[in-house]
Amino acid sequence: MSDLSISTTFLVLSDTHDIDPQTFIDNVWPAGIQRPKIDVVLHCGDMTRVGGISSFKQALETLGSIEAELKLVIAGNQDLELDKDFPECNNDYGVADELENHDEAVQLMKGPLAWNAEVSYLDQGTHSSNLTNGAKFTLYASPYTPAFGNWAFMYPKHENRFNLLKEESLRGEDPKFIPDGVDIVMTHGPPKGVLDLSAAGHVGCDSLAKAINRVKPIMHCFGHAHDGYGVETMDWRSNLAKKSFDITTQSHFPAEYSDAGTVEAVRWMGKRAIRWVGKRGEQTLAVNAAIETEFGKPPNAPWLITLDLPPSNQTGN
């Protein structure tokens, strides 16, 4: 990254599944721990257990408790009403009641309550952001995962979802396609073989893995596979020598942060606070930020990821 790059801190989380605001705060910032300075919050979907207007309201309340300039949120397979194509029938939890209104759910996530929580609910596609610290970034977002069971935002397992054939690329922009040059990819599900372990086995998407290989973003964040919580690096210079993240080789020490609250939070978060210096096109940081755990274990903490981003007045890559 250029010497003109701007250090920008992200709080990355996913799969909060109806967690109440106080439990979330107690888990993220225990009493006595100062909150760090956060520029951007990324929520990778599954705010709720099985949707529901009251659950979406609680999710907005939880997100509203985090102080950040920008909060970007996508849906997940269990945020049922947000998918207009999801049928009004039972899902895997056996909920027999009809879904609440799709339009009402979307209006909630894009209306005054979301504005008050400073939340931006993203549709599938590519989005650009300019921050007050002078940094800019592009982000591709998608709530879709390979089909299993009867859930929302599903696509056939063998669909070439995120890549276009040459003849397809001539038909114009397609929100399913992850374009080259994006800085961050945020999907609900993981790519195949990367932090994709769940109770149902490895659930990553092959098409998504191919797209990440092609695009090579600075960071790819996701959730969905609860048991896959963690971080890994993908080094494209060595033919994808994927490895578990070795925190001892990365610069993550509190002295690198100027904000006092961030220094204290980094000390407490330990290995969950990462100062990532990989370059787009050379290395990708993969982050599974699933908060919910299996079998009643305490929830995971979000990841505090600091990236070097280009300035908003810089043109080109």
Side-chain angles (χ1 to χ4, degrees):
M1 190 67 68
S2 163
D3 291 339
L4 297 176
S5 60
I6 297 172
S7 180
T8 304
T9 299
F10 293 76
L11 188 74
V12 187
L13 65 158
S14 184
D15 296 81
T16 45
H17 289 300
D18 288 340
I19 192 171
D20 69 88
Q22 191 57 54
T23 299
F24 177 79
I25 290 299
D26 290 345
N27 181 56
V28 180
W29 320 121
I33 297 295
Q34 292 189 57
R35 299 187 185 189
K37 180 181 183 299
I38 299 168
D39 298 299
V40 183
V41 172
L42 301 178
H43 192 304
C44 307
D46 273 4
M47 297 168 280
T48 69
R49 182 72 56 196
V50 286
I53 298 301
S54 62
S55 293
F56 291 124
K57 288 180 178 179
Q58 179 171 279
L60 289 174
E61 182 182 352
T62 299
L63 290 164
S65 68
I66 308 171
E67 293 183 12
E69 175 184 344
L70 188 64
K71 304 173 191 178
L72 305 179
V73 177
I74 61 173
N77 62 292
Q78 293 181 225
D79 298 320
L80 303 183
E81 286 91 347
L82 294 177
D83 182 2
K84 64 180 176 58
D85 297 322
F86 185 77
E88 296 190 358
C89 59
N90 295 353
N91 56 63
D92 283 358
Y93 274 95
V95 176
D97 295 336
E98 289 190 352
L99 299 178
E100 296 183 64
N101 185 269
H102 162 73
D103 290 337
E104 183 181 354
V106 172
Q107 289 168 7
L108 174 67
M109 292 302 301
K110 294 186 175 183
L113 281 180
W115 305 338
N116 290 339
E118 299 179 299
V119 167
S120 296
Y121 174 69
L122 301 182
D123 295 318
Q124 180 174 243
T126 304
H127 308 265
S128 298
S129 297
N130 292 288
L131 302 173
T132 56
N133 68 358
K136 67 175 181 179
F137 65 94
T138 54
L139 177 146
Y140 174 84
S142 177
Y144 288 88
T145 52
F148 77 100
N150 183 28
W151 294 104
F153 297 105
M154 294 280 164
Y155 56 87
K157 287 186 177 181
H158 301 296
E159 178 183 335
N160 189 26
R161 179 82 188 182
F162 302 101
N163 304 282
L164 294 179
L165 300 175
K166 288 184 178 179
E167 57 269 24
E168 292 176 319
S169 66
L170 300 176
R171 300 175 189 168
E173 186 174 329
D174 187 330
K176 297 193 298 293
F177 176 66
I178 304 179
D180 295 340
V182 295
D183 298 304
I184 298 170
V185 173
M186 177 169 66
T187 55
H188 179 53
K192 184 177 181 179
V194 180
L195 303 170
D196 64 343
L197 184 63
S198 76
H202 291 277
V203 296
C205 173
D206 184 62
S207 173
L208 181 56
K210 291 177 181 177
I212 296 300
N213 193 340
R214 170 176 54 81
V215 175
K216 300 176 176 59
I218 301 170
M219 179 170 69
H220 179 202
C221 55
F222 48 86
H224 188 50
H226 297 179
D227 291 341
Y229 173 82
V231 289
E232 287 185 348
T233 59
M234 290 178 277
D235 193 332
W236 308 107
R237 301 167 300 178
S238 56
N239 296 319
L240 186 52
K242 182 172 65 68
K243 60 182 180 180
S244 296
F245 191 83
D246 182 0
I247 196 69
T248 63
T249 66
Q250 301 297 327
S251 55
H252 70 290
F253 302 104
E256 298 203 8
Y257 297 90
S258 58
D259 175 69
T262 302
V263 170
E264 184 171 353
V266 167
R267 287 199 184 102
W268 177 77
M269 294 185 79
K271 293 183 179 181
R272 295 185 300 274
I274 297 170
R275 177 76 165 82
W276 177 240
V277 294
K279 296 180 180 179
R280 178 162 60 78
E282 294 185 0
Q283 297 166 303
T284 296
L285 181 68
V287 182
N288 182 327
I291 299 300
E292 181 167 279
T293 56
E294 307 295 348
F295 310 115
K297 295 179 181 178
N300 294 318
W303 293 93
L304 192 70
I305 310 291
T306 301
L307 305 177
D308 289 330
L309 297 177
S312 57
N313 60 359
Q314 178 177 306
T315 59
N317 293 328

